[in-house]
Structures are given as C-alpha cells and as structure tokens.
Amino acid sequence: MKTKQTNKKFILIFSVLFILGGGYGTYKYVYSLYHETTDDAQIEKNMSPIIPKVSGYITKVYVDDNAYVKKGDTLFTIENRDYSLKVQDAAAALAAAEGSLEASKADVSGMKASISASDANHSSAQNSIESAQIKLRRSTNDFERYANLYKNRSITKQQFEQAEAAKQEAESQLKIVKEQERASNYQKSMMESKTTVTQKQSMVAAANINRAQAMLEVAKMNLEYTVVTAAIDGQVSKIAIQPGQLVQAGQSLFYLINNDEIWVTANFKETQLAHMVVGQKVTVHIDAFPGDNFEGSVTSFSPATGARFSLLPPDNATGNFVKTIQRLPVKINLSNKFNTEKLKLIRPGMNVTVDVHLQ
C-alpha cells in the first residue's frame, strides 16, 4: 500500500511539474513569436569632449566634478597675455599696411600730376617746334633771297651775314625745341612707368591690408578662445585639470553630457532581425530601476555589424573559419512621457534589457 501511495504522489508531482513546464514552454514559445529581447544593451547620451582651441596655462577652473552647467557658462580660462600681445601686434601690422597704402596712393597722385605736367610740356614743345619751323622757313627764304642779292652785289656783305646768322639761329632753335620735345616724351614715359609700378605697389599694399585684417581677426579669435565655455546645457564629468596646468590645443580634457537626448543601443543577434522594423514599440527594463518599465521605439538599424567597426575587423579569408553569430546595433529612442524623474537619473553606459514588440 505504501508503495502504491508513493507512486501516486510521484505521478501527481510529475504531472504537475510536466503541466507547469509545458505551460511555461508554450508561453515562452508564443511570446517569442511576438517579441525579441536582448540584455546586450546600454544607455547612450551625447558626450561632447571639452577641447581647448589654443594652448596655454590654466588660470582658473570655474566648475566642479559632475556639475550642471548652462550654455555659455565659463568652464575654465587660459593665460591670455601672449594672445593679447598678438592682437596688439596684428593691429600695429594693420595700421602699417594701411599707412603703406595711403603712401602708395599719394605717390600715384603725384605721378599723375607729373604726367599731366609732362603732357603740358610736350604740348608746349610741339607748339615751339611749329613756331621754330615757321621761323626757320622764313629765315631760309630770307637767306636764299639775300644770297642772290649778294651775288648781284645788291646788298652788303654785312646784310648777307646777318641773314645767314638768322638762318643758323633758326636751325639751332628748332634743334633745341626738338630736343626739348624728346626729353619731355622720355620724362612722360618714365612717369608712366613709375605710375604703373606705384599702382602695383598699391595693389600689394591693399593685399597686405587684407592679410593684416585676417591676422588681426585670427588673433582676436585666439584671445576669445582663452575663455572656454559650455556649448550646450548639460552635466560635466570629472574635472581632471587645475590652475597652472599646461594644456595643448586639441587636447581632450573632460566631457560635457547632454541630458536632453537619451537613447538605447541594443545589440541584437542577426537571427533576431527578420521581423524587426523601424517604429516598433519597445519596453525597456533598466537594471538600476528594476521595478520600473520605460517605453520606447525602434529608430534605426546600424549600417554594419559591430565587429566591422572594431579596431581590428575580422578577416574570414585568412586562417581557419569558425562561424559566429554577429550582432547588429539597433537604436531605440526612449519616450519622455513616463517616468520623467527617473529619466533624469539615467546615465550613459547603464545596462538595460529591451523587449521589442513585433506586432
């Protein structure tokens, strides 16, 4: 009798366990038809590195570890004396370039005035040549007439010599005014050449002004960069700098986390992606808040598996090949309609479990 009772109890317990196990297995199977889950997921936020644009020694740090800041708040400052002197030097270089341009313009104006004077001299020389030519023609005619009269003994030798001297004087005067015209032309050509050179110098001076203005703007910008401010509202990380520390341009010092944007990166197996599409509802369980559920939706799928973005991506064409299931990062945006206060406490890197509703 005792053996039969024991067998009945065993059969009863086994039956109950079989029914519970079967029920649970059926539930999990049906559940898997409409859900895809993974615990390979983390919280993500935009983390902006604070990188100074100029080098120098830190003079003062205005924020503490993990402090909240507003856009435009000063984070720290860099010694600015060198940069102030560079601004003054650039301003002086600009003033010198502007003075050089003004001097070149004055030279051009002077050259143009000289060219105008040369034109006047040239016109006067041409008029003198015409007058000298007329006088020469008249003197020549007089000389020829006096020469014939002198041959006929109609005039005295003195009168003939006077006519000859007048002719020679007219020839000499014509030669002189022609030389003056050539000198005036040469002077005008020289003035025009100098004017061309001076105009080019003015162009160079104008270019130097543009360069000096650009250098002044760069110097002013570098001076402004000695004050490092927050680009967005957010929370800073651990501040690993102190006054007197030398920092280099482009050096990452700490991070500024944007708390307004939050999402989850879930790494699903490639075998789980067949029925997943953008827009599907997602339930998110955060390990830090085990009693709370957060809602979200599938936003996008990565263009490649995580392995492809690693420092040393796999190359299956070399060595022995062992097939492994790959994981694809999926971006999930969290809804801020629920658990608003808890969302403020979420930090990047926290582990989560996501449940994607396939229907």
Side-chain angles (χ1 to χ4, degrees):
M1 292 295 294
K2 289 183 180 180
T3 302
K4 291 182 179 181
Q5 289 179 355
T6 301
N7 290 337
K8 288 181 179 180
K9 289 181 180 180
F10 174 76
I11 294 173
L12 179 62
I13 293 172
F14 178 78
S15 299
V16 171
L17 293 176
F18 180 78
I19 293 173
L20 291 176
Y24 180 75
T26 303
Y27 167 77
K28 295 297 290 184
Y29 173 75
V30 174
Y31 186 87
S32 66
L33 296 178
Y34 303 99
H35 297 264
E36 289 292 353
T37 63
T38 183
D39 59 359
D40 186 359
Q42 292 81 33
I43 296 292
E44 300 285 354
K45 289 184 179 182
N46 284 323
M47 300 174 58
S48 303
I50 302 301
I51 301 175
K53 296 182 179 180
V54 294
S55 303
Y57 290 93
I58 294 176
T59 55
K60 187 175 181 180
V61 180
Y62 291 84
V63 291
D64 297 323
D65 295 348
N66 311 322
Y68 289 91
V69 295
K70 295 290 185 180
K71 181 179 180 179
D73 288 351
T74 301
L75 303 178
F76 62 92
T77 55
I78 297 173
E79 175 63 48
N80 64 2
R81 285 182 295 179
D82 291 343
Y83 299 100
S84 297
L85 292 175
K86 289 181 180 179
V87 170
Q88 295 177 14
D89 182 62
L94 176 59
E98 290 175 345
S100 177
L101 178 61
E102 292 300 324
S104 297
K105 288 181 178 179
D107 289 342
V108 170
S109 299
M111 294 297 177
K112 289 182 178 179
S114 298
I115 290 174
S116 299
S118 297
D119 289 336
N121 292 334
H122 182 270
S123 298
S124 177
Q126 285 182 334
N127 293 332
S128 298
I129 289 174
E130 292 177 359
S131 178
Q133 287 174 341
I134 293 172
K135 186 176 180 180
L136 178 60
R137 283 196 300 271
R138 186 174 59 189
S139 300
T140 301
N141 292 333
D142 290 344
F143 173 74
E144 291 175 351
R145 185 171 60 255
Y146 274 86
N148 292 328
L149 292 174
Y150 180 70
K151 287 179 182 179
N152 297 329
R153 305 294 179 179
S154 299
I155 60 174
T156 63
K157 184 177 181 180
Q158 182 180 4
Q159 289 176 321
F160 172 74
E161 290 176 350
Q162 288 177 347
E164 185 180 16
K167 176 178 174 294
Q168 292 175 352
E169 182 182 359
E171 290 175 346
S172 176
Q173 185 65 30
L174 179 61
K175 183 178 180 181
I176 290 172
V177 294
K178 284 185 176 181
E179 290 293 335
Q180 289 176 347
E181 183 194 23
R182 282 195 291 270
S184 176
N185 286 334
Y186 177 76
Q187 184 180 13
K188 181 181 177 181
S189 299
M190 291 293 295
M191 291 297 178
E192 288 177 345
S193 298
K194 289 182 178 180
T195 301
T196 302
V197 173
T198 306
Q199 287 176 338
K200 291 183 178 180
Q201 289 176 346
S202 297
M203 295 174 61
V204 173
N208 288 336
I209 287 178
N210 293 333
R211 181 176 181 274
Q213 288 175 338
M215 295 301 294
L216 179 58
E217 290 299 320
V218 170
K220 288 181 177 179
M221 289 174 59
N222 288 336
L223 180 60
E224 293 177 356
Y225 291 154
T226 59
V227 179
V228 181
T229 60
I232 57 173
D233 296 346
Q235 184 180 12
V236 297
S237 63
K238 180 181 179 181
I239 307 300
I241 57 176
Q242 58 187 351
Q245 179 179 340
L246 176 63
V247 295
Q248 300 294 335
Q251 178 183 355
S252 180
L253 301 178
F254 53 93
Y255 286 90
L256 176 59
I257 292 86
N258 184 359
N259 290 322
D260 294 334
E261 298 181 8
I262 180 172
W263 69 94
V264 173
T265 298
N267 301 300
F268 282 94
K269 296 178 182 179
E270 55 188 332
T271 55
Q272 296 179 280
L273 302 174
H275 303 291
M276 291 177 59
V277 295
V278 173
Q280 288 175 333
K281 180 181 176 182
V282 180
T283 301
V284 178
H285 306 276
I286 301 177
D287 292 359
F289 309 106
D292 297 293
N293 292 332
F294 298 84
E295 293 186 0
S297 60
V298 177
T299 303
S300 62
F301 296 84
S302 173
T305 62
R308 285 298 174 186
F309 293 114
S310 63
L311 183 61
L312 297 174
D315 185 1
N316 295 330
T318 60
N320 297 325
F321 170 67
V322 178
K323 183 176 181 180
T324 57
I325 297 177
Q326 300 296 314
R327 289 183 178 269
L328 189 78
V330 178
K331 184 177 180 179
I332 299 170
N333 279 344
L334 293 180
S335 173
N336 58 0
K337 296 180 180 179
F338 306 98
N339 296 323
T340 305
E341 296 301 323
K342 291 292 179 63
L343 284 175
K344 294 180 180 179
L345 302 176
I346 297 176
R347 297 292 184 266
M350 285 185 172
N351 290 318
V352 300
T353 301
V354 297
D355 181 359
V356 179
H357 302 252
L358 301 180
Q359 292 184 355

